[in-house]
C-alpha cells in the first residue's frame, strides 16, 4: 500500500469522511474500503494467527469480505474477528452491494450481505455459553442499524 509519507491515503480518507463523497469498490476494491485487508493466505490457513494489513478505513472498524456465498466463504471472517474483537464484519456476495451511511447499512443487488456483529456474539455467549450464529443474513432492501444491536 501507500507509504505514510505519501499522504495519499490520509488525503483520501479525510476527503471521503468530511465531504461525504461516494466510494465504490468491487471484489478487493470493496475490501480495501474497510479497516483490514483480508485475503489469500488467511483462507489457506485460517487456524493460524495472522496480522492483516490496513485498508483505507473509509468505513472504520469494519472488515469487508467478498464473493462470500458463491465461493463458500461465509465462515472466513470468524477467525479474523476473533483476533480483532472491536471490528464489525461485513461479507458481500457477488452481485450485491452495501450502501453505508452514518447509522445504517442497506443492501442492494441480487444476493446477500452477511453481518458478523460481535456485540451479538457477546449476547449469545451470555445466553448459551458460546456463539451459535456468527452472522445474520440480509437481502435486497434490508437495513442493518449500525450500533443499535
Amino acid at each position: 500500500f501507500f507509504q505514510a509519507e505519501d499522504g495519499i491515503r490520509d488525503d483520501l480518507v479525510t476527503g471521503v469522511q468530511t465531504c461525504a463523497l461516494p466510494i465504490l469498490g468491487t471484489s478487493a476494491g470493496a475490501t480495501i474500503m474497510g479497516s483490514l485487508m483480508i485475503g489469500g493466505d488467511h483462507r489457506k490457513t485460517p487456524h493460524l494467527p495472522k496480522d492483516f494489513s490496513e485498508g483505507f478505513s473509509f468505513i472504520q472498524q469494519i472488515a469487508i469480505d467478498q464473493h462470500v456465498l458463491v465461493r463458500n466463504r461465509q465462515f472466513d471472517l470468524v477467525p479474523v474477528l476473533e483476533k480483532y474483537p472491536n471490528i464489525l464484519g461485513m461479507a458481500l456476495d457477488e452481485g450485491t452491494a452495501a450502501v453505508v451511511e452514518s447509522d445504517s447499512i442497506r443492501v442492494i443487488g441480487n444476493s446477500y450481505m452477511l453481518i458478523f456483529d460481535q456485540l451479538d456474539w457477546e449476547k449469545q455467549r451470555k445466553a448459551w455459553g458460546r456463539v451459535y450464529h456468527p452472522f445474520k443474513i440480509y437481502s435486497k432492501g434490508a437495513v442493518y442499524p449500525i450500533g443499535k444491536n
Side-chain angles (χ1 to χ4, degrees):
F1 297 125
F2 301 110
Q3 296 295 318
E5 60 268 17
D6 289 344
I8 295 170
R9 179 184 179 276
D10 292 337
D11 290 346
L12 286 170
V13 171
T14 300
V16 168
Q17 291 175 347
T18 59
C19 301
L21 296 171
I23 55 173
L24 303 168
T26 61
S27 196
T31 299
I32 201 168
M33 301 298 169
S35 302
L36 300 173
M37 287 299 297
I38 304 158
D41 293 340
H42 159 68
R43 295 187 202 293
K44 296 174 191 169
T45 56
H47 61 291
L48 298 177
K50 178 167 178 23
D51 292 324
F52 295 92
S53 301
E54 289 183 26
F56 285 144
S57 290
F58 290 148
I59 310 166
Q60 296 181 349
Q61 298 300 104
I62 195 166
I64 303 170
D65 202 0
Q66 68 319 81
H67 310 291
V68 177
L69 298 174
V70 75
R71 296 187 185 175
N72 198 27
R73 295 180 177 173
Q74 60 268 30
F75 295 100
D76 286 9
L77 277 175
V78 172
V80 174
L81 299 177
E82 287 173 338
K83 181 173 173 80
Y84 296 90
N86 297 319
I87 298 285
L88 178 74
M90 179 196 314
L92 298 167
D93 200 26
E94 292 183 8
T96 306
V99 178
V100 180
E101 298 181 299
S102 63
D103 63 350
S104 65
I105 304 171
R106 181 172 41 91
V107 182
I108 59 175
N110 295 323
S111 193
Y112 300 93
M113 171 183 75
L114 285 60
I115 292 290
F116 298 72
D117 184 339
Q118 295 200 61
L119 295 175
D120 182 58
W121 288 12
E122 191 57 37
K123 290 176 189 175
Q124 291 182 52
R125 285 186 191 105
K126 285 180 182 175
W128 304 322
R130 62 175 289 203
V131 175
Y132 284 97
H133 307 287
F135 55 83
K136 293 182 181 174
I137 299 176
Y138 295 81
S139 60
K140 182 179 183 177
V143 175
Y144 170 76
I146 298 172
K148 305 263 197 290
N149 295 329

